[in-house]
Amino acid sequence: MGRKKKKASKPWCWYCNREFDDEKILIQHQKAKHFKCHICHKKLYTGPGLSIHCMQVHKEAIDKVPNSLPNRSNIEIEIYGMEGIPPEDVKEHEKQKTGGGKGSDSDDDEPAAKRKATPALLGPGPSQVNPGILPTPMGQMPPGMYPAHMQMNHMMPHFMHSPRMMMPGMRPLFPAASVQTSTPNKPTFPAYSNATISAPPTTSNSDPKENGDVRPPAANTCPLVTSTGAGSKIIHPPEDVSLEEIRARNPKYRPKPKPDTHIQSAPAMITPTSQAEVAAHMSAAVAAARQQAMRRPLMQPVVLQQPVRVGVPVSVPPVMGMLPVMPQFNLMRPLQPDNSTI
Amino acid sequence: MFNQLGGGNSNPNKDVEVASPPEDTVSALEFSPPSVPQTFLVAGSWDCRVRCWEVEASGKTVLKAVQGMDGPILDVAWHDDGSKVFMASTDKSVKCWDLASNQTMQVAAHDAPVKTCHWIKAPNYTCLMTASWDKTLKFWDTRSSVPIMTMNLTERCYCADVDYPMAVVGTADRGICVYTLEGKPAEFKRVESPLKYQHRCIAIFKDKKTKQPTGFALGSVEGRVAIQYVTPANPKDNFTFKCHRSAGTTAGYQDIYAVNDVAFHPAHGTLATVGSDGSFSFWDKDARTKLKSSELIDQPLTKCAFNHNGQIFAYAVGYDWSKVSIYQLQLGHEHYNQAKKNYIFLRPCYEDLKPRST
């Protein structure tokens, strides 16, 4: 137990999961990164402060905190340094820090039902807060988060002090995959683990083709891609769905509603049966019709057409009757010596 | 003429531009097989069309034919005899395009958009392999409307490759399944993903000596490629490497981009990757080194391909939606600059891809 003090948890930024050595620096970071007005560059103190400033001074509504992780962009929450962080997020953060992969072992004394227990519901729940210690009037404080509260919470959950530490970013250029594959690293950041470990992307299978309208998934409900945590960001839409699927949802790319049977190829092949599919066809048709009114003809207007459509007029069918056969070409540009054997 | 308009950074690598490029982003790019004396390049696009160019020895390209489908194209594949091209579309079907007659015929159907199609030529059979977001993998005799074989995938197919006798499919749940095609297609092995982020592209590589497929390269959205042997002699043979990431940090962040495509050089066994960062890179997986990285282009690179003898490297440039934010989707206007043109560039690459001398 002597090593208890070894590692007090560092202050961290709720908006981007970055850690700091000092809460002062954290506050500077938040002011510069998250609470700065994008119009006049004034640094505000909180998210709501920024939003009010923008509304009153510039008449502009801001709906999310700049530079924040997708599930942490709520501008309404008042956070200043480490103050005001939703308790469940604090817990989550600690948990991640100590390396207990979600859903793995980590039954320390944290029940699985740590989700969103409101203080009122806490009573029956097993040891959400150490038994005997009632939630403080300030709402549940994360155990051991603030030194000021430590006297109330003597029982620091030991999982916070697990000696296992992470060393982010210390990977060699070509790490042997054997190390990497089999043991998924302990996640450093909660959001990161959301993306990869906790929930394999099973959610968004409300087949993309049939999604009438594109509703960004509520944060936390679907696996996310973007969040790597501090130091880097993945340039990809937050949702962990392929770019092609996201793109294909756009009305512009809806397949043209087909005539129900294809004359030429076997008619049995296409049997749109499910209601959803029919609905998708209909909505696609509606969308297409709507667009037709106002759009340059990028795709052909929606007209039922013959199954075989020859796009741009073409000179000759290609493969036949072509120019003289080239030798094995060493293409383009007068080439250097060349073609040595392998 | 193009360069005058281009304003510098659309072609910083000074490569040969393919004439009459698609009107929307290129989603598939394939050179004709060695069975055809000439070189043809086929590209599928989000504009719902597939185009076929002839590439002359001078580097000049002539658009020869265009075909369309009812939805954006997601993949194309050549028949081994070079007479036909298969086109997979979001309209849930695959069509066979007979180049000589310029006719198309539907040859496969799924319950969801078809993400990939590959032609399989085995000694005892030929068939078309299609994989879809409907979580199935199907094998088709192109003369029948019913698949010869259907296999379930654990999730939606995101990428696949075929090199007889091996096929490999990457899925949305970061699954990888290897199939053997000998005799008839059968599942061979499920592989735990070496990557922690969404799979995006996959390519099979051959053993240097036996010339048989032995493994694959897998690219993810997190600027990383894994080199994975199906049955590694030594577990240390498998490794991953980072790529397509911003060099410095912008405002404290390093930008990490998706690896949009990966392809192996047919002669050297080295590989090329293209990314959303707007660059391509050549790598030697055996020496574990980078051979070359390109200048940055002002748009993402979406696809790449080598011609059959490895003289030409083709890459497609166009917007890939990687910068669409959730809010832009919500508001219905996506980060998409209509003014920017789509390109396909050709580059002599035989020398650049020579492995490090050993």
Side-chain angles (χ1 to χ4, degrees), chain B residues 214-243:
Chain B
T214 50
F216 54 85
L218 174 71
S220 82
V221 298
E222 188 231 1
R224 191 181 285 277
V225 170
I227 301 292
Q228 190 86 7
Y229 289 82
V230 176
T231 44
N234 176 347
K236 291 216 167 103
D237 291 346
N238 295 335
F239 64 98
T240 72
F241 62 91
K242 295 180 197 166
C243 50

Side-chain angles (χ1 to χ4, degrees), chain A residues 79-150:
Chain A
I79 286 175
Y80 181 76
M82 290 294 294
E83 278 168 46
I85 298 179
E88 61 268 22
D89 290 340
V90 173
K91 284 221 159 127
E92 182 83 348
H93 186 82
E94 283 170 13
K95 201 148 193 190
Q96 298 299 340
K97 286 308 294 171
T98 50
K102 290 172 65 178
S104 57
D105 44 17
S106 73
D107 285 327
D108 312 34
D109 44 0
E110 268 282 293
K114 54 161 182 181
R115 270 284 141 173
K116 290 218 169 173
T118 57
L121 294 175
L122 272 180
S127 66
Q128 161 84 10
V129 178
N130 291 328
I133 299 181
L134 293 171
T136 63
M138 306 179 57
Q140 343 152 253
M141 273 301 165
M145 212 56 212
Y146 309 125
H149 290 274
M150 283 227 251

Side-chain angles (χ1 to χ4, degrees), chain A residues 171 174 177 196 201 209 231 233 235 240 244-245 247 253 256 277 309 314 322 329-330 332-333, chain B residues 14 24-25 38-39 57 64 67 70 92 111 156 158 172 196 198 224 238 254 256 288 311:
Chain A
R171 220 169 269 144
F174 287 115
T196 56
K209 55 187 167 136
K233 67 173 184 275
I235 308 297
D240 190 11
E244 286 75 19
E245 287 166 286
R247 188 173 191 164
Y253 293 117
K256 284 178 223 106
E277 188 151 87
R309 187 158 61 80
V314 179
M322 298 268 45
F329 35 82
N330 230 318
M332 307 179 272
R333 312 210 175 153
Chain B
K14 310 214 168 39
D24 205 336
T25 314
Q38 308 95 320
T39 301
K64 288 295 182 184
Q67 269 294 356
D70 290 333
K92 307 175 192 173
D111 298 330
R156 290 154 285 148
Y158 276 0
K196 293 191 217 127
Q198 187 192 113
R224 191 181 285 277
N238 295 335
Q254 184 188 36
I256 297 177
R288 301 196 180 187
Q311 296 290 346

Side-chain angles (χ1 to χ4, degrees), chain B residues 161-240:
Chain B
D161 195 18
V162 166
D163 189 353
Y164 184 84
M166 174 170 154
V168 61
V169 176
T171 50
D173 56 355
R174 297 189 302 117
I176 305 162
C177 194
V178 180
Y179 300 85
T180 167
L181 304 173
E182 238 156 342
K184 68 184 178 72
E187 185 174 319
F188 179 70
K189 187 179 187 183
R190 289 188 191 201
V191 183
E192 190 183 345
S193 178
L195 299 175
K196 293 191 217 127
Y197 286 85
Q198 187 192 113
H199 295 166
R200 180 131 183 86
C201 51
I202 201 161
I204 293 174
F205 62 81
K206 291 182 161 78
D207 184 272
K208 270 223 150 78
K209 295 191 195 88
T210 64
K211 301 288 173 203
Q212 285 296 304
T214 50
F216 54 85
L218 174 71
S220 82
V221 298
E222 188 231 1
R224 191 181 285 277
V225 170
I227 301 292
Q228 190 86 7
Y229 289 82
V230 176
T231 44
N234 176 347
K236 291 216 167 103
D237 291 346
N238 295 335
F239 64 98
T240 72

Side-chain angles (χ1 to χ4, degrees), chain A residues 253-313:
Chain A
Y253 293 117
R254 288 273 157 74
K256 284 178 223 106
K258 299 186 186 186
D260 254 350
T261 46
H262 267 233
I263 316 127
Q264 193 180 28
S265 54
M269 278 169 92
I270 302 167
T271 49
T273 41
S274 77
Q275 284 188 334
E277 188 151 87
V278 174
H281 280 196
M282 282 168 59
S283 67
V286 170
R290 204 184 291 142
Q291 277 168 14
Q292 208 180 349
M294 55 183 201
R295 217 207 356 191
R296 75 245 127 83
L298 190 131
M299 286 179 357
Q300 272 75 31
V302 191
V303 184
L304 295 188
Q305 46 200 325
Q306 294 78 9
V308 175
R309 187 158 61 80
V310 179
V312 174

Side-chain angles (χ1 to χ4, degrees), chain B residues 291-318:
Chain B
L291 297 170
K292 179 191 173 57
S293 50
S294 73
E295 300 294 319
L296 275 184
I297 301 160
D298 60 359
Q299 291 192 87
L301 271 60
T302 55
K303 280 284 160 187
C304 67
F306 289 105
N307 80 322
H308 72 87
N309 63 3
Q311 296 290 346
I312 320 169
F313 175 65
Y315 59 95
V317 177

